[in-house]
Amino acid sequence: MVEIEIDGKKVEVPAGSMVMDAANKLGTYIPHFCYHKKLSIAANCRMCLVEVEKAPKPLPACATPVSAGMIVRSASDKAVQAQRSVMEFLLINHPLDCPICDQGGECQLQDLAVGYGKGESRYEEEKRVVAPKDGGPLVSMQEMSRCIQCTRCVRFGQEVAGVMELGMIGRGEHSEITAFVGQTVTSEMSGNMIDLCPVGALTSKPFRYSARSWELSRRKSVSPHDGLGANLIVQVKQGKVKRVLPLENEAINECWISDKDRFSYEGLDAADRLTAPMLKQGGEWKEVDWQTALEYVAHGLKNIKHEHGANALAALATPHSTLEELHLLQKLTRAMGSDSVDTRLRHSDFSLAADVKPWLGMSIADFAQLNRAFVIGSFLRKDHPLLATRLRTAVKGGAKLSILHAADDDQLITIANKMIAAPSDWLAALSQVVAAVAKAKDIAAPAGFEAVTVSDTAAAIAASLLSGDNKAVLLGNAAVQHPQAAALHAAAQWIAEQTGAKLGVLTEAANTVGAYIANANSGTAPVFSTPKQAYVLLNVEPQLDAVNPQQAADALKRADMVVVMSAYKHGMDYADVLLPVSPFSETSGTFVNCEGRAQSFNGTVKPLGDTRPAWKVLRVLGNVLGLSGFDYETSEAVRDEVLGAGVTDVSARLNNAAKAAPVAAAFGAGNAPERVTDVPIYFADAIVRRAESLQKTADAAAPKAHLSSALAQQLGVVAGDKVKVSQGSGSAILVAAVDAGLPANAVRVAAAHPTTAALGSMFGSITVEKAGEGK
């Protein structure tokens, strides 16, 4: 530790720290623009000049290393004069457009100009003008004349997001930040550049000119999307969500959020919002009051139970629903006598033991410290953008990442070892790693693995896992949804146990873990595989959320009664009643994130129209059905019934350990085309599907049929051709793309999109043929 003095106060900091770090530790503010605690040092704004005793001139605090006995003055006449001079230079070319700038009221340049700027400029020459740029549908680059070349956006892309989408061209007065020629900003983390910009050069395109910062109310919330549970500041004006920003929480999302978290709020006020209960009468939909709707639902459910038995009832919810909603849904279903309640809509293997309650297996902070990781079956960047950011940082610090997947996507992370295989061969690939670990440790392989041959890649993965001291084997969304999910889990568990690694699951949705805690997963088969007479659907859009849309559509059309509880109008062709329930912004509730942390939040705006929070609807429905135990006054009472009063950490109740022994498998012939399925980042849940600006991004483009090079050549297909892909009783005409990173027999077709909703399971065989002319 090194002791220095700043403004008369002594402080100890680690050797190699900068003066800025010491000032931050003391709580002493030094003005700055280019410095950011999460980015590398650039030292190009010079605003943080301070006086250092015995130094001939002021030095930048962000780039001056501490030394023993150093005496620093941040507010001396010499330091302040230097800071004022820098401010004068910065304002020479800055446009005086504060009254119309979106950054007005929260602008670092504006704030510091008050303290360090002059009342008038000595410069009378014309200001320079920088041409606007196209930053894509999310980031506005229309006022680049405001840019002060701090390069925060450039460094963020390179160092945190993993892709250098912006850079600086020109020198001196002609320097400017721009995107690469003909390209826009497409990173799933791009919105953080808006927060980082200390002036108004980069602003939010969806928010642009819609409100002033001082008009907005600020309310805390939690992301309803992926499993991380990013903390949010939701900003509201006149009862509408206008903007979403990150709430800094170093243990979870640091100071970042993904674009999905940031811009999905546009979907909250989508044109198809359901704002009043609706009944289908005589084939026509009519709006009714809540009492009529709930009595209709209660009467229908009682009749079906009476005629077909309680097992004819099923309740399904997405894992984006709150803990309170899921608890009351399962409680109501079981009180009716049925055990058919589930949130695992995209799962196809339910043979894992009931005592497995999957979670990350460690805290997010521990995840960030991994030095060896083996990720199985994950579209990592798009499924878990913020966890991918943590892993990217770890790899840059020396960690080694290995993957087993069906697509060789660019994860923007240096990957040490990768096995790319069709989904049906994942177990065979893991079998090789199991055998490699046994061989490297000179121990007996599990029964049945004696004849497994070890590839060089499998041996390298085993060696990597055996070499680290802080390591994990992680199952991604695709591995959990796989038809052999239990066998993959068992193999991964054996590898983790024998290498001293932790076993973790990269959980799919905001409340995947909470669904297990609420006991809302009880099925033993895919949710629509056995048709029921009555379905209650909570936030579910079956043809986009189910593992097999064909199966879902068939089951719903055959049902006597389908109750849709949703914030949006959908299912009009198969539903009997639509009940408008609140999205996360209009209800209080709790999400349990991947590390087992329960985070409660309040509604940020009032429910739209006659919309009601789903937990209240389920509570009243329980009363109308005459069930006991539905007398809650608040959502907190429901939460405490599940978690216990004051409990926020439920990791002790979670368990990744299965009892099944690993089973060996051999690689198949790989002749028949096989489907590889991703869930696009901006189609993963109901809210993002309706977020207008996100739907304009490259990640929201209509799905293509991505063929391996070998398969495309075999079919005589080139990129841009139309092909017909078929599964079961359904087919789709899609534009073909050729992907050299796919296994030879693989066809990658996205799920969760209307154009592919007619297809069958997310896994299994698929037929591809060149589409005829005119199709």
Side-chain angles (χ1 to χ4, degrees):
M1 299 293 282
V2 176
E3 184 178 86
I4 72 167
E5 181 183 303
I6 300 179
D7 296 341
K9 299 176 184 175
K10 293 189 176 180
V11 62
E12 283 192 348
V13 290
S17 299
M18 301 297 155
V19 171
M20 185 72 86
D21 300 323
N24 288 341
K25 188 172 181 180
L26 270 177
T28 299
Y29 179 73
I30 297 175
H32 60 271
F33 291 114
C34 68
Y35 169 80
H36 190 276
K37 62 184 179 182
K38 293 290 183 181
L39 303 177
S40 62
I41 295 167
N44 53 8
C45 79
R46 317 309 282 184
M47 191 66 210
C48 64
L49 292 174
V50 293
E51 181 184 356
V52 178
E53 194 170 88
K54 298 181 182 177
K57 59 183 179 180
L59 299 176
C62 69
T64 302
V66 297
S67 60
M70 178 184 274
I71 297 175
V72 178
R73 299 180 182 93
S74 70
S76 65
D77 290 344
K78 188 175 181 180
V80 171
Q81 184 54 47
Q83 293 160 0
R84 288 183 183 277
S85 298
V86 170
M87 177 58 71
E88 185 175 17
F89 276 113
L90 286 174
L91 292 177
I92 288 173
N93 276 312
H94 195 80
L96 301 178
D97 61 349
C98 297
I100 61 106
C101 178
D102 260 359
Q103 196 88 343
E106 51 190 12
C107 172
Q108 270 184 269
L109 185 68
Q110 202 175 51
D111 292 343
L112 293 181
V114 172
Y116 300 90
K118 294 185 176 181
E120 58 185 33
S121 175
R122 292 185 288 167
Y123 293 85
E124 297 178 356
E125 291 78 10
E126 288 186 9
K127 292 178 182 284
R128 75 167 191 160
V129 175
V130 180
K133 311 291 191 296
D134 180 11
L138 305 178
V139 180
S140 173
M141 301 177 71
Q142 291 300 299
E143 285 89 14
M144 293 306 291
S145 295
R146 299 172 185 158
C147 178
I148 60 170
Q149 287 82 46
C150 71
T151 68
R152 279 183 175 185
C153 55
V154 177
R155 285 176 285 146
F156 170 80
Q158 208 168 7
E159 298 166 15
V160 180
V163 55
M164 188 172 174
E165 296 182 294
L166 298 179
M168 183 180 286
I169 59 172
R171 300 193 67 182
E173 185 187 33
H174 304 291
S175 299
E176 58 182 270
I177 300 290
T178 186
F180 286 92
V181 179
Q183 296 186 18
T184 58
V185 178
T186 59
S187 164
E188 61 280 355
M189 299 284 289
S190 67
N192 293 291
M193 295 179 185
I194 299 166
D195 296 338
L196 287 171
C197 185
V199 292
L202 302 179
T203 53
S204 168
K205 194 170 277 189
F207 175 70
R208 191 172 158 83
Y209 298 150
S210 64
R212 305 310 305 247
S213 63
W214 54 85
E215 299 174 321
L216 300 169
S217 301
R218 290 159 173 79
R219 287 144 196 185
K220 296 178 182 179
S221 192
V222 178
S223 166
H225 303 300
D226 63 44
L228 189 88
N231 289 199
L232 310 176
I233 294 286
V234 177
Q235 299 190 330
V236 174
K237 179 184 177 184
Q238 295 176 347
K240 295 216 169 196
V241 176
K242 287 291 186 180
R243 186 165 60 166
V244 172
L245 299 175
L247 173 62
E248 185 171 349
N249 187 332
E250 192 63 27
I252 300 176
N253 55 300
E254 301 174 276
C255 54
W256 317 122
I257 53 174
S258 68
D259 288 353
K260 179 161 64 169
D261 298 332
R262 183 183 300 270
F263 297 108
S264 66
Y265 71 86
E266 287 187 298
L268 299 172
D269 293 312
D272 64 343
R273 269 298 299 265
L274 179 64
T275 57
M278 299 181 74
L279 291 181
K280 187 188 283 184
Q281 295 176 331
E284 291 187 9
W285 284 97
K286 296 180 180 177
E287 291 189 359
V288 296
D289 59 61
W290 270 104
Q291 185 173 352
T292 302
L294 291 176
E295 286 177 354
Y296 178 88
V297 171
H299 182 70
L301 294 178
K302 284 179 178 177
N303 275 357
I304 288 169
K305 178 182 176 181
H306 177 72
E307 292 176 15
H308 302 280
N311 287 334
L313 309 177
L316 306 174
T318 67
H320 302 279
S321 308
T322 68
L323 183 77
E324 293 80 356
E325 292 164 0
L326 295 178
H327 175 63
L328 292 183
L329 183 68
Q330 66 84 22
K331 187 173 182 179
L332 186 145
T333 307
R334 290 190 167 98
M336 290 287 289
S338 172
D339 199 41
S340 296
V341 58
D342 227 310
T343 65
R344 298 166 296 176
L345 305 173
R346 293 194 177 109
H347 289 211
S348 43
D349 179 10
F350 288 72
S351 58
L352 264 179
D355 59 344
V356 173
K357 293 180 171 57
W359 68 300
L360 189 59
M362 66 201 88
S363 69
I364 294 167
D366 288 345
F367 177 89
Q369 300 301 317
L370 291 174
N371 55 37
R372 297 290 184 273
F374 180 26
V375 177
I376 302 163
S378 176
F379 296 91
L380 190 61
R381 262 180 67 199
K382 305 302 181 181
D383 289 348
H384 311 284
L386 286 162
L387 284 176
T389 296
R390 294 268 196 174
L391 206 50
R392 186 176 300 117
T393 303
V395 169
K396 285 175 67 177
K400 302 294 183 188
L401 172 63
S402 305
I403 66 166
L404 165 60
H405 197 33
D408 193 7
D409 291 354
D410 184 2
Q411 302 296 345
L412 304 177
I413 307 174
T414 302
I415 296 173
N417 310 288
K418 56 187 172 187
M419 302 179 81
I420 305 300
S424 61
D425 286 330
W426 286 0
L427 188 55
L430 276 187
S431 297
Q432 289 194 350
V433 179
V434 168
V437 169
K439 183 177 179 182
K441 289 188 69 178
D442 196 23
I443 60 173
F449 284 78
E450 298 82 6
V452 174
T453 55
V454 176
S455 67
D456 292 344
T457 308
I461 292 172
S464 176
L465 286 172
L466 287 165
S467 65
D469 58 4
N470 187 8
K471 45 206 173 182
V473 177
L474 302 159
L475 294 162
N477 292 357
V480 173
Q481 295 158 358
H482 196 280
Q484 295 174 299
L488 294 175
H489 187 110
Q493 183 176 323
W494 191 91
I495 294 167
E497 288 170 351
Q498 296 304 319
T499 59
K502 295 172 182 172
L503 177 65
V505 177
L506 302 173
T507 56
E508 178 183 4
N511 210 25
T512 296
V513 174
Y516 285 91
I517 295 296
N519 195 22
N521 294 323
S522 61
T524 56
V527 288
F528 290 107
S529 58
T530 305
K532 302 286 185 178
Q533 296 300 316
Y535 288 97
V536 177
L537 306 179
L538 175 59
N539 298 320
V540 179
E541 297 181 294
Q543 287 172 289
L544 303 178
D545 292 330
V547 67
N548 189 327
Q550 286 178 13
Q551 209 174 61
D554 181 61
L556 291 166
K557 285 173 183 173
R558 292 165 58 182
D560 289 345
M561 185 178 199
V562 177
V563 179
V564 170
M565 299 176 65
S566 174
Y568 304 100
K569 289 181 184 176
H570 67 86
M572 313 289 274
D573 54 335
Y574 57 75
D576 297 284
V577 57
L578 304 180
L579 302 178
V581 296
S582 299
F584 83 104
S585 56
E586 298 170 15
T587 182
S588 56
T590 303
F591 293 136
V592 183
N593 73 355
C594 58
E595 65 177 350
R597 184 191 299 245
Q599 299 185 101
S600 296
F601 56 92
N602 293 315
T604 53
V605 292
K606 290 181 179 178
L608 191 63
D610 278 340
T611 301
R612 295 291 180 268
W615 73 268
K616 288 187 177 180
V617 175
L618 290 164
R619 180 200 67 189
V620 176
L621 182 57
N623 294 334
V624 175
L625 283 164
L627 306 175
S628 61
F630 285 83
D631 52 356
Y632 309 96
E633 293 293 325
T634 63
S635 63
E636 289 78 10
V638 185
R639 177 196 66 198
D640 291 349
E641 183 172 281
V642 186
L643 300 180
V647 175
T648 57
D649 181 5
V650 297
S651 57
R653 303 188 206 176
L654 303 171
N655 169 41
N656 287 331
K659 296 182 174 66
V663 178
F667 281 87
N671 297 325
E674 182 177 333
R675 184 174 177 182
V676 172
T677 308
D678 62 310
V679 176
I681 184 171
Y682 301 139
F683 288 101
D685 62 72
I687 297 175
V688 292
R689 289 173 196 142
R690 293 165 172 84
E692 185 180 349
S693 296
L694 290 177
Q695 293 305 314
K696 295 176 183 174
T697 63
D699 279 322
K704 294 182 177 180
H706 295 262
L707 311 178
S708 68
S709 304
L711 190 55
Q713 190 173 3
Q714 179 186 328
L715 294 172
V717 170
V718 297
D721 285 351
K722 288 190 175 181
V723 293
K724 181 181 180 182
V725 293
S726 305
Q727 269 188 303
S729 60
S731 63
I733 304 293
L734 302 174
V735 175
V738 179
D739 186 346
L742 287 172
N745 62 326
V747 182
R748 179 171 171 175
V749 180
H753 193 278
T755 59
T756 58
L759 299 177
S761 176
M762 291 170 63
F763 297 88
S765 61
I766 190 168
T767 304
V768 187
E769 57 187 320
K770 201 167 181 177
E773 293 296 325
K775 289 190 177 178

